[in-house]
Amino acid sequence: MSAPRRPTDPSGLERYYVLTGGRSGPGGSAAGLDVATLVVSRSGPVPGLQHEHEEIVRRCREPLSVAELGAHLGLPFNILAVLLSDLLDAGRVEARNPVPAHVAGRGPDLALLEEVLSGLERL
């Protein structure tokens, strides 16, 4: 006689609950994360890291946006933000906000914007 089969969670919510330790959102230093925030590792993976934390550290050797990281790992933003919060608090990764175009000396291309406006007016 075989043991009863345990129902599986097709939504993945059980997995996310375990990954985040039941937390639903980031706190502390990760509260300001958005999809355009760049993440870069400050050190290599160390023994004892949770698999997902280790994967984040490994993938972020070069700066990677939160959106790209989420796509690579197949994780929703809020789950990834909790994991990044852990790594930020431990000093394993660094979060950098992208430099806005107007600060970098590259404002919007006015000629292109005027052409778009002109095209919209002709519609």
Side-chain angles (χ1 to χ4, degrees):
M1 178 175 226
S2 65
R5 294 188 62 143
R6 188 168 173 225
T8 58
D9 179 14
S11 67
L13 294 178
E14 284 180 11
R15 175 177 174 252
Y16 297 152
Y17 184 86
V18 171
L19 284 178
T20 62
R23 295 169 290 164
S24 61
S29 56
L33 287 177
D34 68 14
V35 294
T37 301
L38 298 175
V39 180
V40 64
S41 301
R42 297 183 81 194
S43 65
V46 295
L49 277 181
Q50 181 177 328
H51 172 72
E52 287 75 11
H53 287 133
E54 185 178 318
E55 192 64 24
I56 291 169
V57 170
R58 188 174 289 119
R59 286 186 182 266
C60 292
R61 289 183 187 134
E62 297 291 323
L64 198 61
S65 74
V66 172
E68 291 172 306
L69 190 55
H72 287 302
L73 299 175
L75 293 173
F77 174 79
N78 62 328
I79 303 301
L80 182 57
V82 171
L83 298 175
L84 287 171
S85 174
D86 296 341
L87 292 170
L88 284 165
D89 292 344
R92 302 239 178 261
V93 297
E94 182 180 327
R96 302 176 185 167
N97 290 324
V99 177
H102 68 279
V103 173
R106 299 183 327 253
D109 184 354
L110 293 178
L112 176 62
L113 291 176
E114 288 173 359
E115 285 183 43
V116 170
L117 180 60
S118 175
L120 289 172
E121 288 172 344
R122 285 192 301 262
L123 291 176

